Amino acid sequence: MATIVLLGCERDGGAWPPLAVLSQELSQRGHTVHTLCDTPIEYAFESTKILRIPNPFESTAYLDNIFATDFAQHMKGGEALESFQNPLVTWAEALAPAVVSEVRKAGPDLLVGSMFCLPLAVELGQKLGPPVVSLNPGPYVGPNPPRSFADDYPGVALWWFEHCVLPPILQSDHVLHATDQVFDLGFDGLPYNHYYIGPLIWTPPGSAPSEMAEPGPPWITASVSMVNQPGEMDLVAAILEAADGLPARILVTAPDHDVSTLTSIPPNVLLTKFVSHAAALEQSRVLLSHAGHGAVMRALWMGVPMVLTPWDRDQLAVAHRAEKLGVARVIDREELDAEILQRELASALDDVALHDASQSHHERLQQTNPPALAAELVEEFIAQ
């Protein structure tokens, strides 16, 4: 059995849940697993030994401060973003001296980093010697992608993926892409040390609201990002307006958002902070989402068709792939309004082709076991 140190952080948003899935699988196989993480996400790694990120370096406050100060000054001064040091590297260089002794005591055979923690994993790997595995939570990021970065990541997101995400991936010994190869445009040009493992879907405990079991019109589950994105409440407002007259009920989940200003909630809308999306989707005919990779993979896995409104980060890339696969309708953020949203949702409820495609990929994915494949590859890396 091996000793493996996983590195994840709260500011990762949807990038740390796949790490939680891998931690459970490795622990069940008898490996000694340590997780270096922030306090708010420790609960997801309860099967492992926790190495806590010290309070002054907890990711959300530390990185938000960088974005609010140094990054904002660069933007205000009109400087080229390329001249701005990768904030993840800045964080890693500050944090590494505070945690290196604890990681050394663990005696890792392998380090596995989620997206935001990958520069830290590379830094610790250089200091301590074990190989580094990158766990990429979404579509392929690496040399010669199937679709250009410029098309997949518009605006500042292009700088983010090219300047901040890609370099530490290129420094990793191995890269696991936690997505479905068919979904990822059928890409077959992976570098020798990159691997598709399929979606690692983390399911926290919880149930669907009791209202979803009551007879009535079909349900639509509408979810926004785990970490609040600027302007995303515009999407929530559009959902509430679109609900009026829609022949469906809508469950709206907004876990990290201030919904106190939403004073008029239509009778066919149930607004809540958190539910188990797995349980909710079992009762839903359609998923409405910002196109986060985790939400899209869960719906694909469960055979639920989607209406997607990509907002930021990698969401345009994810929405494009879902649309190409025939499992989603996509609304451009710039075109989003309540009328268009209502029309697309109403159409998706009864779109036979959309539902058939979703069911087909559900059946295909149910024949796979991504957590087991990921763990087997990790074991192979250690054996090498």
Side-chain angles (χ1 to χ4, degrees), residues 13-204:
W16 65 258
L19 198 73
V21 177
L22 180 60
S23 76
Q24 294 168 357
E25 183 70 22
L26 290 171
S27 296
Q28 288 170 6
R29 288 168 174 257
H31 298 290
T32 300
V33 183
H34 299 257
T35 303
L36 180 64
C37 65
D38 297 318
T39 303
I41 63 171
E42 284 182 7
Y43 70 96
F45 298 93
E46 59 184 12
S47 63
T48 75
K49 300 179 180 181
I50 300 295
L51 305 176
R52 184 171 295 131
I53 293 174
N55 183 55
F57 301 104
E58 287 209 336
S59 62
T60 297
Y62 198 98
L63 290 169
D64 283 356
N65 182 61
I66 292 176
F67 289 126
T69 55
D70 295 353
F71 185 79
Q73 286 298 112
H74 270 72
M75 295 291 286
K76 185 177 180 180
E79 298 176 54
L81 284 174
E82 288 71 21
S83 67
F84 180 53
Q85 183 179 4
N86 181 348
L88 303 181
V89 171
T90 302
W91 179 54
E93 290 176 346
L95 173 57
V99 299
V100 66
S101 62
E102 289 300 309
V103 176
R104 182 184 285 112
K105 288 178 187 176
D109 298 297
L110 195 73
L111 301 170
V112 183
S114 62
M115 184 182 293
F116 277 31
C117 286
L118 189 54
L120 177 61
V122 170
E123 181 86 6
L124 292 173
Q126 292 170 349
K127 292 179 182 296
L128 302 176
V132 172
V133 174
S134 166
L135 182 58
N136 172 36
Y140 169 77
V141 178
N144 306 311
R147 190 170 183 246
S148 76
F149 269 17
D151 288 334
D152 272 342
Y153 310 111
V156 174
L158 178 61
W159 167 82
W160 176 255
F161 275 85
E162 286 189 329
H163 183 69
C164 302
V165 175
L166 180 59
I169 284 179
L170 297 178
Q171 292 177 279
S172 302
D173 297 284
H174 308 282
V175 183
L176 302 178
H177 298 281
T179 194
D180 174 48
Q181 182 178 13
V182 176
F183 173 83
D184 203 12
L185 305 176
F187 183 54
D188 60 2
L190 291 182
Y192 75 96
N193 61 334
H194 288 234
Y195 308 83
Y196 280 117
I197 56 175
L200 296 180
I201 302 171
W202 180 65
T203 303

Side-chain angles (χ1 to χ4, degrees), residues 183 308 318-331 354:
F183 173 83
L308 303 176
V318 172
H320 173 80
R321 285 155 173 77
E323 187 174 40
K324 291 284 285 187
L325 202 62
V327 297
R329 292 166 171 262
V330 177
I331 305 172
L354 197 68

